[in-house]
Amino acid sequence: MSIQSTIEAAVSTLPPSLARVAAVIRENPSIVIDMTINELANACSTSVASVVRFCRAIGFSGYAPLRMALATELGKEAAQFSPRGAFGSEISDEDSLPEAVSKLAALELLAIEETVAQLDFDVLEAAITDIDGAERILLYGIGASQFVAEDLAHKLLRVGRNAHVLTDPHEAIAATVLNAGPTVAVGFSHSGVTPETLRFLRTAGDNGAATIAVTSAKGSPLADAADHALFTEVRESTFRAGAMVSRIAQLSLVDCLFIGVAKRRFAETVDALQRTREATRALRD
């Protein structure tokens, strides 16, 4: 897991003084290389002790090891991507459109590569087993995560699986308490703290469903509430409210889940995809 992705995932779970440090570094990772610990503390309106605690919270013993590791990471990315697009997630007002697009493309490529690189295949296999054995698959997310839930539902429906996207929190909770045979509930939340998604997953689990979380935040309430937690590695851009990079990472996990389910019944899946393609051919002409 990269340092920048670790910081991105930790922001929502850190106390305020440490979260300010995370926010400043997330916006401009090279600031760690350019500033002393005292200068960074001043830039973050916090204390040197808080900067040290932040370093320890993300797995480093202090500021010097963080500086060295981050310098190495940024150097490698500078060689892999364009110089303008390599240094973290900042898209500035001075960027030309090609430069901004290049930065975004670099972030999306990194999100897919890092998400797959850190994937726990034992957890993925267990999640696939639950989906494959379920008579009912409930999918829920808020905002951009809802679009990801819809993508998985579309794929599963195309191969004959009983998948439902729940778009209203009341509807979602109601669906989880119905006794409708073996059920799996999948909750999508980049932050891992979305209240509606957390309640959906907890209620589903309390009522006997197998539960899967798709999130970027290890140790988050959503991850802790799930039987199986699948994690994305994401560095959002300046326009993180648009959930661009996080959506791409979640979609990569959706494809992993679908491929795993499809392989369990390979011939049946191929037949279903061919039949549904033929059935909709007239609508595409």
Side-chain angles (χ1 to χ4, degrees):
M1 184 175 183
S2 74
I3 301 164
Q4 294 168 81
S5 296
T6 299
I7 294 171
E8 181 77 31
V11 168
S12 63
T13 62
L14 293 173
S17 60
L18 276 61
R20 289 198 297 274
V21 180
V24 169
I25 297 175
R26 183 172 63 171
E27 293 294 336
N28 182 17
S30 61
I31 198 172
V32 173
I33 302 169
D34 299 333
M35 288 187 172
T36 66
I37 189 170
N38 289 286
E39 291 170 337
L40 180 62
N42 290 332
C44 300
S45 301
T46 192
S47 65
V48 169
S50 291
V51 175
V52 173
R53 287 198 298 273
F54 165 78
C55 294
R56 291 173 178 167
I58 62 169
F60 292 91
S61 60
Y63 191 59
L66 173 62
R67 291 183 82 182
M68 293 179 62
L70 194 53
T72 300
E73 180 172 293
L74 293 175
K76 289 179 179 178
E77 291 175 9
Q80 183 176 3
F81 301 104
S82 68
R84 292 292 299 244
F87 294 95
S89 59
E90 181 66 16
I91 294 176
S92 71
D93 187 47
E94 288 74 30
D95 287 334
S96 68
L97 181 58
E99 288 169 341
V101 169
S102 176
K103 286 184 177 183
L104 181 60
L107 288 172
E108 292 184 342
L109 287 169
L110 281 168
I112 295 172
E113 289 176 358
E114 292 178 354
T115 293
V116 172
Q118 62 78 50
L119 192 56
D120 187 326
F121 282 91
D122 289 337
V123 174
L124 178 64
E125 194 74 46
I128 289 167
T129 296
D130 281 342
I131 292 174
D132 183 54
E135 293 180 8
R136 187 177 62 143
I137 303 160
L138 304 179
L139 308 165
Y140 186 71
I142 295 289
S145 291
Q146 180 185 321
F147 302 142
V148 180
E150 290 173 349
D151 186 74
L152 181 54
H154 173 74
K155 288 179 167 65
L156 292 173
L157 286 168
R158 282 285 305 273
V159 295
R161 303 305 172 93
N162 186 19
H164 305 271
V165 179
L166 305 163
T167 59
D168 177 86
H170 295 264
E171 175 187 55
I173 296 299
T176 62
V177 302
L178 297 174
N179 184 7
T183 297
V184 60
V186 188
F188 298 84
S189 170
H190 173 57
S191 68
V193 296
T194 308
E196 298 90 341
T197 308
L198 179 58
R199 179 169 292 186
F200 160 75
L201 212 64
R202 282 177 172 167
T203 307
D206 290 344
N207 284 274
T211 55
I212 301 168
V214 177
T215 180
S216 72
K218 295 177 174 66
S220 64
L222 190 72
D224 291 343
D227 296 323
H228 317 296
L230 297 170
F231 297 102
T232 56
E233 303 293 340
V234 173
R235 309 176 205 174
E236 276 290 7
S237 70
T238 306
F239 305 101
R240 60 179 48 87
M244 293 178 284
V245 180
S246 60
R247 186 191 70 246
I248 294 296
Q250 287 182 341
L251 286 170
S252 70
L253 285 183
V254 160
D255 287 347
C256 292
L257 286 169
F258 175 71
I259 288 298
V261 172
K263 279 175 60 62
R264 293 290 179 91
R265 308 181 196 182
F266 190 85
E268 180 182 320
T269 296
V270 171
D271 178 65
L273 289 172
Q274 290 175 342
R275 290 169 60 195
T276 54
R277 186 181 300 114
E278 287 299 319
T280 58
R281 183 183 300 276
L283 300 177
R284 301 194 300 272
D285 292 340

